[in-house]
Amino acid sequence: MCYNLFISMLNIGQNKKQKSIKTRKITLFWSIIGIILFFVMIGYLYFVQTPKPSLVMKMENGLVTTDSTLEFHFNLPVVRNLKIEVTPEVYGETEYGRYLFTNHLSRSIVFRPELTWKPGTTYEVVVSNVKSILPSFWQSKSYTYTFQVEDAPKIDSISPANDQPISPEVVWEITLDKNSKKLTEYQFSLVPEAEMEVTSDNGGKIFTVKPQEHLLQGQKYTFKIFKKNIRYTFGTDEVGYQAEPELIKETEWQVQEAPGIVDFSPTGDNVSLGQSVSITLDKNVDMDSFSNNIKIEPAVEGQWKTDDYKTITFQSAALKKDTEYTVTLAAGTKTFDGGYLEKDSVHQFKTLGPVRVSEAFPDNGYSGIGINSAIKTTFDQAVDKKSAEGKFSISPATEGVFSWDGNAMIFTPTAPLSYNTAYAFSLASGVKAGAGYASEEKYEYSFTTELSVTKLNVAFHRQEHNLSCEVATLVMALKFRGVDVSEATLIDAIGFDTTPKSDGVWGNPNLAFVGDIDGHQPSTGYGVYWQPIAQAARAYRTARAFTDGSLADLTSEIKKGNPVIVWGTAGSGTRIDWKTPQGGTVVAINGEHTRLVIGFIGSADNPTKIITLDPLSGEKYFTKDSFFHNWSLLNNSGVVVE
């Protein structure tokens, strides 16, 4: 029995050993398969794959919306020195995203235009220098895309229709084929003039136009619709550009006749002083009743007479100039057949007065006016054209030519207006009327033109080491000045402070590069400050370092054609000061980084944005406040390369 038990235990041990060997073989097999697959993938990326972008934009009905960004999503991580060019030319800023790790291995880039896209425009986008972050068999590639921006809204319908008389209390409903918000503004007017209340739904697709007072019974009105294209500073409600109002619809409506009243004369705002007043009814009127119920205000001496008892005419010695008259035929006025008016019939007209300006473009206080805009002044009546042109003045003095569209005088500058400039134009009193009285007041308007873009054409150079941003920006500045020098040559000229980092003591970036240029901040490497960079630059061009600089200093240098290297942060910007072996204190920040200032938007005295070339990500736009905050972390320091 003991022998049999021993043999059984021996068999069990052999079985366990065989199973262990089998398990190790299986594990080894799958490990080999995993290694093979890994190298196949790396080879696939090296020899086959180049990152391919797909364009993602906000669309409606197959067209790109005006407030859409350009988003390029890549199937693989890409290097961060892509270049985006848009035709027609569009200014904007780019941002990388969709990182596989924090701020690393970007798989997307977003382009935000300075202004919303122009409606109805076809744009071409070229994305160039697309290549993998891994060494690749393939060269960088370029991709071209085109897209069509949504059209401005069009009028779909106007209610009520104009083929039937309308009520004096009419309310127009204008329906567009789509929402107009962020695309256009609409203005509505009536001739003869009437004040109107205009409301719309939230999207601006349906407009309701309601006269503030009853329309004159029996009167024919011309309803005009004007459209003004608007473009906004991207992502805001700030108007960046607005066009001159354009007449897009002009329709006539006839107001239904008041019961018993066929016609009233005169109407309008420019009635001659010798014109007679008459009322025509559809039935013979009782003249005694008529005389008791008719009233003219202000009172005028004269007498009502009729030949056929339907048309009654008021014969007056003379009407007064620039006077609005109201003629009221009260309800209850009787006719021969026993009928009567159901309600008061009120008619108004205005006699000729002094010439007045009824509308002007640009209106007072407008901003963002295009530099190719014309100045349009509309008078309330026909005027002597030469007289009006002689009363016109503009400041700053601008050469131009006059043209006329009805009662509208148009001044077209012979050369574009200046950017970022406040203009004032006026019409002196004394503009002569065609058949009335000269103007008695002076009209003055002011407006500001659109912002300019000042930008140096500096070629992008991506930094070749983890921490060589200072050297890379100097390479770009020198190349712009015609000096083609490598990072390696400049690094040799700057030199390294080899002091090891230990117990709060490290090297001095005011003398040389501190730490490993291929290291990581702030553990193994840091950077170099402005004095050594300026010293290296002076071997090739005139250069100077500075601290406590101002935005005015930067814009002044850009206007001179000088790019400026500035110090700031690409990280948190928190203070990480240390001591030098000599006992001095180094003021330092986490994420210390340099960029090259190459331009600005707006006036040099008060720019709205600063344009930089970042040696990591390319062209980048900062608002004035965000740039100044970033720059101030290291005392507004920099290097000017002349």
Side-chain angles (χ1 to χ4, degrees):
M1 181 182 294
C2 292
Y3 175 77
N4 292 336
L5 179 62
F6 174 76
I7 294 301
S8 298
M9 292 177 63
L10 182 61
N11 290 336
I12 290 172
Q14 288 176 345
N15 290 338
K16 286 184 178 180
K17 183 176 181 180
Q18 290 174 353
K19 288 182 181 179
S20 176
I21 292 172
K22 184 177 181 180
T23 300
R24 287 198 298 271
K25 286 181 178 180
I26 292 173
T27 302
L28 178 61
F29 172 78
W30 286 112
S31 297
I32 293 172
I33 292 299
I35 293 171
I36 292 172
L37 290 175
F38 174 77
F39 281 103
V40 168
M41 181 183 68
I42 294 299
Y44 176 72
L45 292 175
Y46 181 80
F47 290 103
V48 179
Q49 284 284 37
T50 296
K52 296 180 180 179
S54 60
L55 176 59
V56 178
M57 298 190 76
K58 191 190 301 182
M59 308 282 287
E60 287 187 7
N61 299 322
L63 299 174
V64 173
T65 61
T66 59
D67 61 348
S68 174
T69 57
L70 283 173
E71 297 186 23
F72 293 94
H73 293 183
F74 296 88
N75 60 334
L76 295 172
V78 295
V79 296
R80 293 175 60 183
N81 60 344
L82 303 181
K83 184 176 182 181
I84 295 180
E85 296 177 286
V86 182
T87 306
E89 186 175 10
V90 173
Y91 294 105
E93 57 184 4
T94 56
E95 180 181 80
Y96 288 85
R98 294 182 69 214
Y99 298 103
L100 290 179
F101 305 101
T102 304
N103 293 331
H104 294 287
L105 301 182
S106 172
R107 292 181 296 140
S108 72
I109 184 171
V110 178
F111 177 82
R112 294 179 177 84
E114 179 69 17
L115 299 178
T116 51
W117 303 102
K118 184 177 180 181
T121 302
T122 299
Y123 289 90
E124 181 181 85
V125 184
V126 178
V127 186
S128 57
N129 200 32
V130 178
K131 56 184 177 181
S132 172
I133 60 169
L134 295 174
S136 177
F137 174 79
W138 301 102
Q139 297 295 321
S140 63
K141 290 188 176 182
S142 296
Y143 297 87
T144 301
Y145 300 85
T146 60
F147 62 89
Q148 175 75 33
V149 181
E150 61 180 318
D151 291 326
K154 298 181 178 62
I155 295 175
D156 189 52
S157 64
I158 301 177
S159 177
N162 66 331
D163 56 352
Q164 296 293 330
I166 59 174
S167 164
E169 298 178 325
V170 65
V171 176
W172 281 281
E173 185 174 276
I174 296 90
T175 303
L176 307 179
D177 61 352
K178 62 180 178 180
N179 292 345
S180 63
K181 190 174 183 180
K182 290 284 188 178
L183 291 173
T184 52
E185 288 185 2
Y186 289 86
Q187 299 172 351
F188 306 91
S189 68
L190 282 177
V191 179
E193 183 179 355
E195 292 188 7
M196 297 182 293
E197 176 185 358
V198 180
T199 58
S200 66
D201 60 0
N202 289 336
K205 183 176 181 180
I206 300 176
F207 290 85
T208 301
V209 181
K210 180 181 179 181
Q212 295 286 21
E213 298 179 354
H214 290 177
L215 299 181
L216 298 179
Q217 300 175 87
Q219 178 65 56
K220 182 178 288 186
Y221 283 85
T222 300
F223 188 71
K224 295 183 177 182
I225 304 176
F226 296 86
K227 179 182 74 173
K228 181 168 61 175
N229 290 329
I230 302 292
R231 296 175 69 190
Y232 293 83
T233 300
F234 196 87
T236 73
D237 292 326
E238 178 184 346
V239 175
Y241 173 80
Q242 55 183 322
E244 182 178 352
E246 173 191 0
L247 177 64
I248 60 171
K249 188 74 173 178
E250 182 173 343
T251 312
E252 288 188 342
W253 269 271
Q254 176 70 50
V255 181
Q256 67 186 26
E257 301 285 347
I261 301 298
V262 176
D263 187 45
F264 173 82
S265 178
T267 60
D269 295 332
N270 294 303
V271 175
S272 65
L273 302 186
Q275 188 166 345
S276 60
V277 179
S278 65
I279 299 176
T280 300
L281 291 85
D282 57 356
K283 296 180 180 181
N284 293 341
V285 68
D286 182 326
M287 284 301 298
D288 289 336
S289 176
F290 180 90
S291 298
N292 291 331
N293 286 286
I294 193 71
K295 181 170 60 175
I296 299 179
E297 294 178 317
V300 180
E301 291 186 2
Q303 186 177 10
W304 290 95
K305 292 186 177 183
T306 183
D307 292 329
D308 59 6
Y309 295 96
K310 288 186 176 180
T311 299
I312 303 96
T313 302
F314 184 75
Q315 296 178 343
S316 169
L319 300 174
K320 295 181 179 179
K321 74 173 183 177
D322 196 23
T323 302
E324 186 173 69
Y325 286 92
T326 301
V327 181
T328 304
L329 184 58
T333 300
K334 297 178 180 179
T335 59
F336 282 168
D337 61 3
Y340 61 92
L341 297 180
E342 294 182 350
K343 58 183 179 181
D344 290 353
S345 178
V346 180
H347 305 271
Q348 294 178 321
F349 64 91
K350 187 177 181 180
T351 53
L352 281 169
V355 171
R356 294 184 176 90
V357 174
S358 59
E359 186 178 3
F361 178 86
D363 206 348
N364 201 32
Y366 273 17
S367 61
I369 299 300
I371 60 172
N372 294 312
S373 296
I375 296 172
K376 185 176 182 180
T377 309
T378 304
F379 298 97
D380 66 344
Q381 57 186 278
V383 299
D384 182 286
K385 295 179 180 179
K386 291 298 182 183
S387 173
E389 293 171 4
K391 298 296 182 180
F392 178 87
S393 63
I394 183 170
S395 177
T398 303
E399 295 292 329
V401 295
F402 290 99
S403 60
W404 287 81
D405 181 11
N407 291 341
M409 180 178 68
I410 303 169
F411 176 78
T412 303
T414 53
L417 301 174
S418 299
Y419 286 104
N420 319 325
T421 302
Y423 282 85
F425 67 96
S426 64
L427 279 168
S429 61
V431 176
K432 296 179 181 178
Y437 305 93
S439 62
E440 297 176 351
E441 57 184 304
K442 181 179 182 180
Y443 292 89
E444 297 179 299
Y445 303 88
S446 63
F447 64 91
T448 305
T449 52
E450 59 189 313
L451 297 176
S452 63
V453 177
T454 304
K455 181 179 173 184
L456 303 179
N457 187 23
V458 180
F460 174 73
H461 169 77
R462 180 177 173 79
Q463 64 186 69
E464 299 171 4
H465 302 273
N466 286 351
L467 301 178
S468 64
C469 58
E470 302 93 343
V471 179
T473 49
L474 180 56
V475 167
M476 289 188 282
L478 289 173
K479 192 169 184 179
F480 176 73
R481 286 303 186 189
V483 178
D484 193 358
V485 59
S486 67
E487 282 195 19
T489 300
L490 294 175
I491 291 171
D492 288 341
I494 294 167
F496 290 88
D497 186 329
T498 59
T499 302
K501 184 179 183 181
S502 176
D503 297 328
V505 176
W506 209 2
N508 190 346
N510 293 296
L511 300 177
F513 194 96
V514 173
D516 182 0
I517 200 168
D518 287 306
H520 298 279
Q521 283 195 16
S523 57
T524 59
Y526 183 67
V528 63
Y529 284 169
W530 36 96
Q531 290 293 355
I533 291 295
Q535 182 65 34
R538 281 194 283 269
Y540 306 95
R541 299 286 299 192
T542 301
R544 54 185 172 83
F546 66 88
T547 56
D548 298 323
S550 67
L551 288 177
D553 295 332
L554 291 182
T555 57
S556 175
E557 293 299 333
I558 296 302
K559 290 185 70 175
K560 295 176 184 177
N562 298 328
V564 183
I565 303 171
V566 294
W567 269 254
T569 180
S572 66
T574 54
R575 292 283 291 273
I576 53 171
D577 299 359
W578 63 77
K579 295 288 186 179
T580 66
Q582 293 75 29
T585 298
V586 172
V587 176
I589 58 174
N590 186 29
E592 177 268 337
H593 189 58
T594 60
R595 300 175 179 89
L596 189 66
V597 177
I598 62 170
F600 58 91
I601 296 177
S603 66
D605 295 334
N606 188 27
T608 61
K609 289 193 176 181
I610 302 298
I611 307 172
T612 68
L613 266 184
D614 190 307
L616 281 174
S617 57
E619 195 168 293
K620 183 176 179 62
Y621 286 64
F622 286 86
T623 64
K624 177 176 64 176
D625 292 339
S626 64
F627 175 84
F628 199 83
H629 171 73
N630 194 294
W631 191 27
S632 66
L633 295 174
L634 285 173
N635 300 321
N636 297 33
S637 303
V639 172
V640 178
V641 179
E642 299 178 342

